[in-house]
């Protein structure tokens, strides 16, 4: 099965150190832009208690969930800390010239492990 | 600590009259800090002085990238000759502080001639595997001066040879006895006891060793400290550990069970550590067991800060 | 008082006596024998004495004065002939001494190589001060050549010392590389190179056959026939425990005197300590376990519990310029992994041995700064897998490099203002410290007034003290703001003002933040500080705000939001209530609830609906209630003179005035206020951040209450007569709090930190200062007081917050 890439917008549509949402059949997906203009996409559900990661504060390549301050590494989806936990991560790519962001749903990496 | 500490009673007179630090700025050496004792006029003139590379004594040490001894200022390249004459200063030693090829500072010590002051500030350099005297200032210790001019030290022998082989500062407690050298005898008779040896790094392959020998009556300093520097990943000096030290008031300063440490910017030694520059302070009386002035000299090895040596008077 | 006799005044017994006298000086009457004609000294430091780097006086651990003060009967230079355990008596050359308890501390004797000529004059061992003096004398004679037999720790230290003294020195070592018990071959090679650099000749695989000479040593002959001329031969081939006395007394002896974990021998009244003991089959030659034994033994004699256990050992070579360290067990083996680092240019070699994820051994040559850190890892047996990649580089290479908080302070110019309350600059503080010899914070306060008022600059002043006084000063630990920095909130606030830092990246750059983007703790704090310090200049960074403050609504557990419009002073009207009811119906908002702050909360609003909800509420003249913010929340009121029988003043009116003046401003933490019309306090003003109790005479201004996780009644700030004065006082108080408070620090905590005096001094006693604070708040309001809902309802500000950036439908996803 070939990977299907969906155009979702421009790099500049997302505030730096911030996130926007994409609705999809899998639920809401949070798309992050770091200070260095890297793009990451994860399920918008914190593995701790399902909080909206897209609403958290983005720092370096991590985001702090607004509900209970869990810290998620954007590249891997892993939650820091002794409890562990992981959120689904989706592949993205950015065209360097047009700065168009594309998102793939077909091969979502990682095992969904939200606590609730 | 009591509210007011008295400065240590001055029954001994210093061998070194003036210590100054010059730092490079916009291609010249400008005044950074100094201890002039009571020589206020000389101090005033010096603080306004600056030197181009190759100019004057500090400039010469910079240009020739080596320590320099100058005895007798009249008719020499010494710029402040007249002021020095008025102040009673007759000789000087300039010590450049290089980190690799970069000049960080030049420390200059000046001494006055009289029949009573005995001590030695010597510069040794290596030639054909032996350390020979480049030049030195000895005050009244004439015989010792003659002997030193005719002594050479093989690697690892004597204070100069030991410092050279170890590439680390050393503080010898009693130069007068227990050594093979005739020089030791002469030292004993001249009353020279403590010897501080410092490796002076300069660009190129040459090796210099600076020695400061103290006599009881006119010591170079009454307290010495030798610190080993530890650096962080970026090479920035982070802390120093006291390797050795003695003090007339407090006795031995070293402790083989509990290391004494100082962090960058903590106190005067910390300032030398953090800035990588030598400094002279004259406000230290109440902070350091009564010593009114101190000198902190950073020693570099292969371009990296390796030791800080401090002496207090 | 019991009688304690000690045979042997070495380092172990010295430590025992020291500990005994410190803990219980009256417990024992001590007699101390020593075969050497002197008291305890630090034997380990004999090598620096040999080289001239220490004097003997310096290494004496206990002098005559100490023995005198502790009433120790010293029998130095007198050998002990026998121990009579039946009579409990020690027999010395000069007479007998009875004992209740006995300590045998006879130490070791050096091994003598059993070759012909070993008794010739000029052949010595290296054990005590007499040996050292003999070596110094030998080196003073002209033409001295020394041969040192034994390339271990002691032999090499002797060689270096003799060389420094002027002798020609050759070291003979039996095995293939030097210090083979502590070093591996690679490190042994580097060590040899450094010794040869000193002009010392090293011969390995050299076996001594005999020593030659007539009346005096003249040469050493090796097994292969080589002859080395020698005026001095030093034997440093090892030590063996000195046990003859103990054996003769019938104590249990194997290779050394057998002791249990309390250092007791086979006789319950006889103890042994130091190099002469054997514990669980182990012998001891390094000092650390000896000190440990001494401590246990002293405790045991005093009846305190304690057990000796063998711990990891480390070795350091005392030759200046030869940097060597080894610890633990570094032999290679099955199941062991090694990591090696070589830097030939610097002459650095490191080898770590790991077994079962734990560091078990380390050898280092050149650059041993991290020695103690590695040694601790070995001792603790801590798992090292997490730092496996960077372990070999040492402590400062784990994680990010440690940064130096003092560099920022050191770099401030002398005229930088440190204490704003009293206008004290850096130069004045450091100058006073050195000129007057100040050593404590209180003294600095008393002499310069720095940190004497609000205390915000205390952390900075303490750092200046550390900088000026050096290691002599131990400031109370400065609690860092977050893991990204070592600076505290107070430090950062002060530095933002002193260095005029006006953006988050500038702060992180100038104050050397450890991370590139900060974290969820510091970014919002920095955003607030910059906003408070530079109104009108600093642009609020949305991405550094917590979600609630970014979207101006309270996030709930299911990701929906709650909306709370302002109700000034708790008053509302029919049209407002109607607007709320309509919004609830229109957007099917599930829950409507009255809050403790005297207003109405709509819960369960979807994020996408927020702008529309706000638009409708705006249309009815309502604005954001800031129920989500570190800002002014509510000003509760009771009815007062409008309606109430007991009202003394128009509390409702004042409450509304306050709320209308102060809404919109950001504060370090939420601020809740209330105005009660009379002392009956129906508005509960006395547990609020700021409260007013109206009285006949005027208005009592209260503050610093709490009714959340902590319950605390307010303190009275002052009394005023008019409404205008009340407003001015309250505004000035809040502005002072805005400038001094740490992020998330409620007013009651701020008061506790800075003290009532300083607050009163700033705004109550000084009318002009109060006016300044009032005006600064008013100025700030020009930029802060705008309805965030209105900005967003129209889609003008941050529309991206409320809409998804894309939608992927089923059809697209399925392809």
């Amino acid at each position: 099965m070939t990977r299907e890439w969906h155009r979702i917008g421009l790099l500049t549509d997302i505030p730096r150190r911030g996130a926007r949402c994409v609705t999809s059949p899998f639920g809401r997906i949070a798309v992050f832009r770091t200070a260095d203009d890297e793009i990451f996409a994860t399920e918008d559900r914190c593995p701790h208690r399902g909080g909206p990661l897209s609403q958290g504060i983005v720092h370096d390549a991590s985001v702090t969930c607004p509900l209970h301050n869990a810290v998620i590494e954007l590249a891997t989806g892993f939650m820091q800390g002794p409890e562990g936990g992981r959120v689904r991560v989706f592949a993205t790519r950015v065209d360097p010239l047009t700065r168009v962001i594309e998102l793939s749903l077909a091969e979502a990496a990682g095992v969904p492990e939200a606590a609730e | 600590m009591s509210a007011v500490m008295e400065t240590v009673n001055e029954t001994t007179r210093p061998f070194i009259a003036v210590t100054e630090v010059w730092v490079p700025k916009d291609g010249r050496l400008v005044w950074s800090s100094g201890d002039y004792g009571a020589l206020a006029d000389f101090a005033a003139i010096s603080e306004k002085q600056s030197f181009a590379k190759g100019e004057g004594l500090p400039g010469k040490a910079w240009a020739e990238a080596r320590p320099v001894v100058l005895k007798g200022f009249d008719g020499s390249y010494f710029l402040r000759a007249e002021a020095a004459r008025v102040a009673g200063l007759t000789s000087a030693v300039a010590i450049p502080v290089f980190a690799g090829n970069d000049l960080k500072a030049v420390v200059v010590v000046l001494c006055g001639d009289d029949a009573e002051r005995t001590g030695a500030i010597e510069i040794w350099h290596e030639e054909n595997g032996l350390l020979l005297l480049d030049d030195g200032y000895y005050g009244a210790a004439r015989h010792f001066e003659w002997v030193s001019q005719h002594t050479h030290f093989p690697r690892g022998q004597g204070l100069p040879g030991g410092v050279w082989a170890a590439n680390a500062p050393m503080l010898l407690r009693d130069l007068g006895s227990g050594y093979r050298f005739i020089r030791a005898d002469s030292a004993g008779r001249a009353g020279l006891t403590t010897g501080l040896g410092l490796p002076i790094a300069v660009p190129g392959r040459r090796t210099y060793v600076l020695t400061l020998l103290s006599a009881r009556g006119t010591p170079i300093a009454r307290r010495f400290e030798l610190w080993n520097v530890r650096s962080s990943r970026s090479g920035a000096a982070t802390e120093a550990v006291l390797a050795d030290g003695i003090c007339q008031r407090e006795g031995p300063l070293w402790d083989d069970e509990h290391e004494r440490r100082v962090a960058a910017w903590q106190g005067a030694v910390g300032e030398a550590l953090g800035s990588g520059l030598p400094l002279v302070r004259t406000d230290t009386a109440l902070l350091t067991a009564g010593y009114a002035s101190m000198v902190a000299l950073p020693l570099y090895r292969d371009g990296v800060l390796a030791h800080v040596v401090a002496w207090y008077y | 008082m019991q009688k304690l006799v000690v045979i042997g005044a070495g380092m172990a017994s010295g430590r025992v006596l020291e500990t005994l006298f410190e803990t219980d000086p009256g417990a024992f009457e001590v007699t101390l024998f020593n075969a050497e004609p002197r008291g305890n000294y630090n034997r380990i430091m004999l090598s620096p004495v040999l080289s001239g780097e220490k004097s003997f006086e310096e290494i004496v651990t206990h002098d005559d004065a100490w023995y005198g003060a502790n009433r120790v009967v010293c029998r130095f230079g007198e050998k002990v002939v026998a121990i009579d355990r039946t009579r409990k008596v020690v027999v010395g050359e000069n007479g007998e001494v009875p004992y209740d308890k006995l300590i045998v501390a006879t130490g070791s004797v050096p091994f003598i190589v059993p070759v012909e000529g070993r008794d010739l004059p000029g052949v010595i061992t290296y054990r005590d001060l007499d040996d050292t003096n003999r070596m110094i004398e030998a080196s003073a004679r002209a033409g001295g050549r020394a041969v040192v037999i034994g390339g271990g720790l002691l032999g090499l230290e002797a060689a270096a010392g003799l060389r420094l003294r002027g002798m020609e020195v050759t070291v003979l070592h039996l095995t293939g590389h030097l210090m083979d018990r502590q070093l591996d071959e690679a490190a042994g090679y580097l060590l040899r190179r450094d010794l040869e650099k000193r002009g010392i000749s090293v011969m390995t695989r050299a076996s001594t056959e005999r020593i030659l000479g007539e009346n005096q040593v003249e040469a050493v002959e090796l097994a292969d026939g080589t002859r080395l001329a020698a005026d001095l031969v030093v034997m440093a081939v090892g030590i063996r425990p000195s046990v003859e006395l103990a054996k003769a007394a019938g104590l249990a002896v194997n290779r050394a005197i057998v002791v249990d974990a309390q250092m007791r021998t086979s006789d319950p009244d006889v103890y042994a300590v130091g190099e002469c003991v054997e514990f669980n089959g182990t012998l001891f030659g390094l000092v650390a376990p000896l000190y440990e034994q001494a401590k246990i033994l002293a405790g045991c004699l005093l009846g305190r519990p304690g057990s000796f256990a063998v711990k990891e050992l480390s070795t350091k070579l005392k030759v200046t310029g030869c940097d060597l360290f080894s610890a633990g067990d570094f032999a290679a083996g099955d199941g062991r992994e090694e990591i090696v680092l070589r830097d030939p240019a610097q002459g650095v070699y490191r080898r770590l041995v790991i077994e079962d994820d734990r560091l078990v051994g380390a050898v280092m040559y050149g650059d041993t700064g991290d020695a103690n850190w590695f040694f601790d890892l070995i001792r603790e047996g801590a798992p090292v897998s997490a730092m496996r990649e960077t372990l070999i580089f040492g402590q400062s290479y784990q994680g990010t490099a440690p940064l130096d908080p003092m560099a920022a302070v050191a770099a401030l110019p002398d005229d930088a203002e440190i204490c704003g309350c009293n206008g004290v600059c850096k130069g004045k503080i450091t100058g006073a410290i050195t000129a007057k010899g100040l050593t404590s914070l209180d003294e600095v306060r008393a002499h310069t007034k720095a940190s004497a008022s609000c205390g915000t600059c205390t952390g900075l002043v303490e750092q200046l003290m550390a900088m000026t006084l050096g290691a002599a000063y131990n400031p109370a630990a400065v609690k860092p703001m977050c893991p990204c920095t070592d600076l505290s909130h107070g430090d950062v606030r002060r530095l933002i003002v002193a260095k005029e830092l006006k953006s988050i990246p500038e702060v992180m750059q100038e104050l050397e933040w450890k991370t590139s983007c900060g974290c969820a703790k510091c970014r919002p704090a920095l955003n607030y500080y910059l906003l408070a310090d530079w109104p009108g200049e600093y642009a609020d960074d949305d991405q550094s705000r917590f979600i609630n403050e970014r979207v101006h609504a309270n996030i709930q557990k299911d990701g929906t939001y709650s909306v709370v419009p302002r109700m000034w002073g708790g008053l509302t009207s029919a049209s407002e209530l109607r607007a709320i009811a309509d919004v609830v119906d229109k957007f099917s908002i599930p829950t409507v609830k009255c809050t403790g702050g005297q207003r109405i909360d709509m819960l369960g609003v979807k994020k996408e609906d927020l702008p529309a909800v706000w638009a409708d509420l705006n249309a009815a003249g309502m604005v954001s209630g800031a129920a989500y913010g570190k800002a002014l929340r509510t000003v509760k009121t009771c009815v007062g003179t409008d309606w109430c029988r007991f009202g003394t003043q128009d509390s409702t009116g004042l409450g509304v005035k306050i709320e209308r003046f102060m809404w919109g401003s950001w504060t370090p933490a939420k601020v809740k206020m209330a105005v009660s019309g009379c002392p009956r306090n129906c508005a509960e003003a006395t547990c609020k951040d700021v409260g007013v109790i109206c009285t006949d005479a005027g208005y009592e201004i209260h503050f610093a209450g709490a009714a959340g996780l902590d319950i605390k009644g307010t303190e009275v700030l002052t009394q005023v007569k008019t409404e205008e004065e009340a407003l001015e006082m309250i505004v000035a108080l809040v502005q002072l709090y805005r400038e001094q408070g740490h992020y998330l620090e409620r007013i009651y905590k701020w008061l506790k930190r800075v003290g009532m005096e300083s607050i009163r001094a700033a705004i109550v006693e000084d009318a002009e200062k109060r006016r300044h604070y009032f005006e600064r708040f008013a100025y700030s309001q020009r930029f802060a007081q705008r309805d965030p809902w209105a900005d967003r309802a129209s889609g003008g500000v941050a529309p991206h917050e409320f809409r998804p950036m894309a939608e992927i439908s089923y059809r697209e996803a399925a392809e």
Side-chain angles (χ1 to χ4, degrees), chain B residues 173 178 180 254 257 267, chain C residues 15 53 58 165-166 198 467:
Chain B
R173 303 323 200 231
R180 170 179 55 99
W254 55 271
E257 265 189 285
Chain C
R15 191 50 69 92
E53 291 171 273
E58 267 177 88
R165 293 264 176 196
R198 281 168 169 70
M467 220 184 80

Side-chain angles (χ1 to χ4, degrees), chain B residues 2-308:
Chain B
S2 56
V4 178
M5 279 281 279
E6 283 155 37
T7 22
V8 174
N9 205 346
E10 235 90 287
T11 50
T12 51
R13 287 152 69 225
F15 184 67
I16 294 175
V18 169
T19 311
E20 351 170 274
V21 176
W22 302 87
V23 294
K25 186 177 171 181
D26 301 326
R28 294 181 72 82
L29 283 172
V30 302
W31 190 87
S32 168
S33 57
D35 176 13
Y36 295 85
L39 303 171
D41 291 335
F42 189 71
I45 289 176
S46 303
E47 287 170 27
K48 296 196 280 262
Q49 189 74 45
S50 71
F51 303 89
K53 192 170 180 179
E55 189 185 20
L57 178 62
K60 186 174 164 89
W62 183 6
E64 297 183 19
R66 64 181 184 89
V68 178
V69 178
L70 179 60
K71 292 181 286 206
F73 299 138
D74 291 333
S76 74
Y77 53 82
F78 195 76
L79 289 190
R80 296 169 283 166
E82 182 53 30
R85 193 186 62 76
V86 170
L89 302 167
T90 55
S91 25
V93 179
I95 308 159
V97 180
F98 279 99
N101 289 330
D102 272 327
L103 181 79
K104 295 292 225 176
V106 178
V107 176
V108 176
V109 298
L110 295 112
C111 304
D113 247 346
D114 64 48
E116 288 164 19
R117 294 191 207 197
T118 302
I121 305 170
E122 313 172 304
I123 297 168
W124 298 82
H125 75 266
E126 182 223 336
E127 226 169 274
N128 296 325
L130 296 171
L131 277 183
L132 302 177
L133 186 70
D134 191 69
D135 204 347
Y137 174 71
Y138 295 86
R142 299 266 172 260
H143 182 256
F144 184 74
E145 178 172 7
W146 184 89
V147 167
S148 303
Q149 285 163 344
H150 294 86
T151 302
H152 60 255
F153 288 97
R155 41 177 90 247
Q157 289 193 339
L159 176 61
V163 168
W164 174 33
N167 204 359
M170 285 175 91
L171 185 62
L172 295 191
R173 303 323 200 231
D174 186 1
L175 301 168
S177 68
Y179 295 87
R180 170 179 55 99
F181 317 100
I182 297 172
R183 193 171 116 105
D185 251 4
S186 179
R189 280 186 269 132
L192 292 168
T193 50
T194 319
L196 175 66
L198 310 174
I200 302 293
V202 298
R205 303 250 98 210
R206 285 170 302 163
T207 313
Y208 286 93
V209 174
L210 175 77
T211 59
L212 301 164
L213 310 184
S214 260
R216 255 180 287 269
T218 50
I220 301 273
R222 292 207 287 269
R223 175 189 177 103
F224 294 92
E225 294 171 359
L226 271 53
W227 298 82
N228 291 342
V229 173
R230 303 227 178 113
S231 303
S232 71
R233 168 184 219 164
S234 55
T238 51
E239 68 168 10
V241 176
L242 187 72
D244 193 8
I246 45 173
C247 174
Q248 263 176 31
R249 282 185 136 218
E250 293 179 19
L253 303 173
W254 55 271
D255 184 328
D256 63 337
E257 265 189 285
H258 307 108
E259 289 183 326
R260 270 180 61 164
R261 291 153 189 268
V262 86
W265 303 106
Q266 266 192 325
V269 173
E271 190 181 329
L273 190 62
S275 66
L277 298 172
L279 53 97
V280 176
R281 301 241 322 231
T282 50
D283 57 355
T284 51
L286 296 168
L287 308 174
T288 55
Y291 295 115
S293 71
M294 65 94 71
V295 179
L297 180 65
L299 298 174
Y300 287 84
R301 186 205 290 190
D302 296 326
V304 173
L305 185 57
H307 305 274
V308 174

Side-chain angles (χ1 to χ4, degrees), chain C residues 481-593:
Chain C
M481 215 171 120
C482 71
C484 305
T485 179
D486 291 325
L487 297 168
S488 69
H489 281 276
D491 295 333
V492 172
R493 283 217 84 163
R494 258 295 134 196
L495 287 165
I496 285 176
V497 174
K499 286 181 161 244
E500 296 195 27
L501 305 171
K502 297 193 180 170
S503 74
I504 290 183
E506 202 181 345
V507 170
M508 292 187 177
Q509 175 66 25
E510 290 298 311
L511 303 186
E512 299 190 353
W513 236 241
K514 296 176 189 177
T515 55
S516 61
C517 287
C519 68
K521 278 182 98 172
C522 60
R523 285 243 302 277
L526 292 179
N527 190 51
Y528 167 70
Y529 293 146
L530 291 165
L531 203 63
D533 288 331
W534 313 113
E537 285 184 70
Y538 172 71
D540 204 334
D541 179 17
D542 261 359
Q543 300 312 129
S544 292
R545 281 199 178 269
F546 188 58
I547 178 63
N548 286 1
E549 290 179 344
R550 210 159 65 226
V551 299
H552 295 271
N554 292 53
I555 192 170
Q556 304 301 313
K557 75 173 195 180
D558 64 351
T560 60
Y561 289 83
S562 84
V563 173
V564 183
R566 274 212 184 268
M567 279 187 176
W568 310 99
L571 290 170
T572 185
S573 67
S575 58
E576 282 187 357
L577 290 171
R578 221 165 270 132
I580 290 175
D582 287 342
V583 156
V584 170
D585 281 338
K586 183 172 170 189
F587 295 93
S588 310
I589 298 174
T591 301
V592 187
K593 189 179 178 306

